[in-house]
Every structure is written in C-alpha cells, then in structure tokens.
Amino acid sequence: MVFIGHGSPMNAIEDNPWSRGWTALGASLPTPRAIVCVSAHWYVRGTYVTDNEAPETIYDFGGFPPELSRVTYPAPGDRVLANTVAAVLSSVRAAPRGDWGLDHGAWSVLLRLRPAADVPVVQVSLDRGAPPSAHLAMGQALGSLRGQGVLILASGNVTHNLHHALRGGGTLPPWASGFDADIARAIEQRDHAFLIGALETEAGRHAHPSPDHYLPLLWAVGAAGDSAATFPITGFALGSLSMRAVLWR
C-alpha cells in the first residue's frame, strides 16, 4: 500500500530526486499480481473503475515538451479485477467504465515503480461529490484486496497549491511545511478524525484550493488499516509542492 506525491508530469522523463526515489521504492516492493490506482486526475461525479483490456496512456496536461506526450505505459488491464473492485465498492454504486485509461497521476509514477509495464493496472475515479469521510471509507473497503496480492497505489500530493508553486518564487511557506508535518503526524498516529477534517483548517485551505490531490491520501490511509507507515520520500518541489510518499507494509 503506497501513496505517492506525484508532482509535475515531467518527473516521468527527468532524472531528479523524485524519479530516483520512485525507482528505488519500486525495487523494494514485491511484484504484485495487479495494481489498483487511485489518481487525483480522475476527479468526476461518481465512482468508476477502468475495465479496458489495454488502458490508453492519457495526456491530461498542456504546455510541456512534446517528448512527454510520446511516452506510453502499455500495461494490460484486468476486467476480472475491475469487476471485483466494483463489487467491493458496491455501497457507492461503483461501475466499470471503458472510456478512461491511465492519466499522468498513474503512469508517470508507474513508469518508475514498474518500468516493464508487466502487471495489470486498473484505475478508480474520485467522486467529487463525496465528503472526505466517504473517501476514507472507500479506501477501507478497497483494503480487502491487499491480501490478494494487489498493490493499491494512491497518487496525489500532501500539499498542492499550483498558484503558489508557479508564482511563489520557490519559497517554502509556513502553511505548506506545517500542513505537511501535521499530516505526517496524523498518519503515524492513525488520527483519522484529523485527516478527514484537515482541509477545513487554515493551512489546509492554503494547501488545497481544490481537494482532488488530497483525497487519494484518504483512500490510502483507509486501505492501510492498522499497518504502520513510513515515509520513503520527503521534500518539496517548486517551493510548496509536497512530494511526500507514504508506504504501509
């Protein structure tokens, strides 16, 4: 069970501390039977699961070098697993869906974790209409798959204020460092109440003008259950963008 702060899609093709950290993390993990990914970039009304036999690589960004849009991640899908995930999430009427693939929150990380693209991947959407507590509960339900050799990968960022990241001059503001530290502490202490309400704090509102990059963390925390957390990657990109990764074994 792993949460990755994915940051810029350029991490897929750049050699930097984040890409090297993901490569090292992937090498430390056992080979899973399959991967279920929850990414900040499939943020829609409702809960869906990709059931494509061959999920396409989605380029859900603009303004980057053309070589980034030539990257592919040709992992197979898994329709049986997609149906299993939908059944596990039946309380929120999760449904298989074939018109999505793997967005950059998924493939930019998977390129480093599993560069051979030899493990089936399905992706689960984030329901933009559900409160944080519901996202944590959906993660708890998904956690039942961990005992079946399935790696659950959640991809977002502990802090994600792009306005500051792009215009803040590379400075680390107190709200970013404080929120990142508070979230890490709450994860270690399994303080679900704090994690559910964190976006309502003053620092949380600065850290996440939109909740999409925070919600995957709640899925990861829910799926982790009572497992102890470690932080194999920490630090900030672009000043205020937390690149923290969390690993539960």
Side-chain angles (χ1 to χ4, degrees):
M1 174 69 247
V2 63
F3 170 83
I4 298 288
H6 66 248
S8 167
M10 289 297 291
N11 293 322
I13 60 175
E14 290 182 343
D15 178 22
N16 59 39
W18 322 121
S19 62
R20 291 193 294 272
W22 300 345
T23 298
L25 178 58
S28 75
L29 298 174
T31 300
R33 177 178 68 82
I35 298 170
V36 174
C37 182
V38 182
S39 163
H41 293 278
W42 195 13
Y43 186 53
V44 294
R45 290 281 179 182
T47 303
Y48 302 98
V49 188
T50 57
D51 69 346
N52 326 60
E53 289 187 0
E56 67 174 305
T57 305
I58 297 175
Y59 308 102
D60 52 329
F61 46 72
F64 290 93
E67 56 263 34
L68 188 60
S69 295
R70 291 194 287 267
V71 175
T72 61
Y73 191 76
D78 187 330
R79 285 181 169 167
V80 173
L81 177 59
N83 287 327
T84 299
V85 171
V88 164
L89 299 175
S90 61
S91 64
V92 292
R93 300 181 180 179
R97 185 165 159 178
D99 61 346
W100 195 252
L102 302 178
D103 57 53
H104 84 265
W107 62 259
S108 68
V109 173
L110 286 168
L111 271 170
R112 305 295 187 170
L113 291 184
R114 299 292 311 171
D118 55 351
V119 172
V121 182
V122 302
Q123 190 169 328
V124 182
S125 71
L126 294 171
D127 182 358
R128 65 188 308 148
S133 59
H135 288 277
L136 191 140
M138 285 185 269
Q140 288 173 329
L142 201 62
S144 64
L145 300 179
R146 293 178 66 199
Q148 302 176 29
V150 175
L151 172 65
I152 300 171
L153 167 64
S155 178
N157 288 98
V158 171
T159 62
H160 189 264
N161 185 325
L162 282 185
H163 178 80
H164 184 277
L166 297 176
R167 301 186 181 185
T171 60
L172 175 59
W175 56 259
S177 57
F179 188 79
D180 182 66
D182 287 345
I183 293 300
R185 188 178 309 112
I187 291 171
E188 289 179 318
Q189 296 174 356
R190 302 183 183 90
D191 187 350
H192 290 184
F194 179 85
L195 293 167
I196 288 170
L199 296 185
E200 301 303 318
T201 65
E202 182 177 356
R205 288 189 288 271
H206 282 294
H208 292 281
S210 171
D212 48 354
H213 278 70
Y214 181 75
L215 296 176
L217 177 65
L218 295 182
W219 282 71
V221 168
D226 293 330
S227 300
T230 58
F231 306 111
I233 300 169
T234 59
F236 291 82
L238 301 174
S240 62
L241 189 64
S242 172
M243 297 297 289
R244 182 179 296 275
V246 191
L247 175 64
W248 295 265
R249 292 191 185 272

